[in-house]
């Protein structure tokens, strides 16, 4: 397979700039609604030590793709990535393997791009003040996206352990990313990027604030509390998948 391209994390990220990725995700959603894509609900298989293996195939007229990743929350205690795996891309005419992408990078950038696409539709006036719960990979991806797409936005980071938010914030522009212990009333966007089993955000719904839940991918997880959900307008990126994966709603 001399024409097979294997991309590490850096090369994968370079192939997926946020503005273009958001456009392609919007187009893929339209194609999915029109029946032009085949993407069955992802299969979740139990993995040792409380982890899960996730299989996500999809095909279009000109391409086939398969994301296979393992999500191992226990890895955080060992300083290892929570998500590991790869995305394989196949030629639509021959079925030949053409491209291998870094799975965690695709996951991180795709998820952040979906969130930013939601922001563009639901907060069309832009962002000035953002609060992010979490200090892991998904939090990093979302902060990267906010900083790139909204140059005037400030980000407050809230961690679950002492010193975690401070260490996280130091990796970014000190003037724009700061540690915090609560959500500032001025925040127009709240992003929960944890795998918490109990809500980390449960403030009453308020006009002008968008809350995006990222990490509750199982029915036994919930980052956003009932008080927030009760009076909010509710949206999901994939209604079919949400029926068994949107932990906050379930």
């Amino acid at each position: 397979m001399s024409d097979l391209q294997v991309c590490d994390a850096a090369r994968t990220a370079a192939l997926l700039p946020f503005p273009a990725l958001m456009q392609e995700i919007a187009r893929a959603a339209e194609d999915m609604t029109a029946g032009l894509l085949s993407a069955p609900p992802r299969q979740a298989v139990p993995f040792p030590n409380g982890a899960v293996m996730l299989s996500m195939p999809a095909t279009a007229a000109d391409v086939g793709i398969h994301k296979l990743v393992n999500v191992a929350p226990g890895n955080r205690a060992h300083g290892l990535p929570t998500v590991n795996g790869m995305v394989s891309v196949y030629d639509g005419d021959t079925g030949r393997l053409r491209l291998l992408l870094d799975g965690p990078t695709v996951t991180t950038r795709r998820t952040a791009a979906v969130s930013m696409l939601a922001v563009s539709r639901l907060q069309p006036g832009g962002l000035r003040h953002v609060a992010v719960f979490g200090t892991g990979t998904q939090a990093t991806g979302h902060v990267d996206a906010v900083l790139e797409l909204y140059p005037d936005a400030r980000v407050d980071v809230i961690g679950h352990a002492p010193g975690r938010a401070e260490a996280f914030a130091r990796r970014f522009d000190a003037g724009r990313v700061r540690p915090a212990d609560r959500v500032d009333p001025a925040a127009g966007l709240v992003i929960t990027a944890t795998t918490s089993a109990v809500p980390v955000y449960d403030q009453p719904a308020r006009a002008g604030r968008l809350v995006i839940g990222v990490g509750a991918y199982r029915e036994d997880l919930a980052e956003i509390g009932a008080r927030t959900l009760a009076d909010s307008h509710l949206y999901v990126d994939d209604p079919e998948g949400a029926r068994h994966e949107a932990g906050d709603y379930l």
Side-chain angles (χ1 to χ4, degrees):
M1 292 188 182
S2 59
D3 56 350
L4 173 64
Q5 298 183 56
V6 180
C7 299
D8 61 9
R11 177 58 178 157
T12 299
L15 291 172
L16 300 172
F18 283 117
L21 186 54
M22 291 164 60
Q23 291 180 357
E24 289 303 314
I25 288 171
R27 186 166 71 91
E30 294 171 354
D31 288 350
M32 187 73 176
T33 301
L36 300 178
L37 303 181
S38 178
R42 71 181 179 186
Q43 183 180 18
V45 180
F47 203 80
N49 301 315
V52 61
M53 175 181 284
L54 302 175
S55 173
M56 292 152 277
T59 57
D62 58 346
V63 68
I65 190 168
H66 184 207
K67 185 168 80 166
L68 183 66
V69 296
N70 301 320
V71 182
N75 280 3
R76 286 192 296 270
H78 306 290
L80 298 172
T82 301
V83 180
N84 294 274
M86 67 176 62
V87 174
S88 50
V89 182
Y90 302 87
D91 184 275
D93 292 327
T94 65
R96 296 182 65 214
L97 179 62
R98 302 301 300 274
L99 183 66
L100 290 176
L101 301 171
D102 181 68
T105 303
V106 172
T107 298
T108 300
R109 295 188 75 83
R110 192 279 312 177
T111 306
V114 170
S115 295
M116 295 301 102
L117 182 60
V119 170
S120 71
R121 302 293 178 88
L122 302 174
Q123 293 277 54
L127 297 176
R128 299 288 296 184
H129 199 144
V130 181
V132 176
F133 284 85
T135 56
T137 301
Q138 281 296 347
T140 300
H142 280 75
V143 172
D144 283 339
V146 169
L147 296 181
E148 178 179 335
L149 298 170
Y150 298 95
D152 297 325
R154 165 187 158 186
V155 181
D156 293 339
V157 178
I158 303 168
H160 76 281
R164 191 71 61 83
E166 288 79 2
F168 180 89
R170 283 196 292 270
R171 293 153 49 189
F172 301 92
D173 183 341
R176 299 185 61 195
V177 182
R178 308 174 186 176
D181 57 7
R182 61 182 178 84
V183 176
D184 191 296
L189 172 64
V190 175
I191 300 171
T192 60
T194 75
T195 53
S196 180
V198 297
V200 298
Y201 179 82
D202 194 26
Q203 295 187 17
R206 55 189 298 173
R209 174 174 287 176
L210 174 63
V211 180
I212 297 179
V214 174
Y217 65 97
R218 301 194 312 252
E219 62 180 14
D220 61 327
L221 303 177
E223 300 180 288
I224 302 169
R227 286 199 303 172
T228 304
L229 294 173
D231 295 319
S232 295
H233 297 289
L234 306 181
Y235 301 86
V236 295
D237 59 346
D238 176 16
E240 180 61 31
R243 292 187 174 93
H244 55 89
E245 293 181 4
D248 301 296
Y249 293 172
L250 295 172

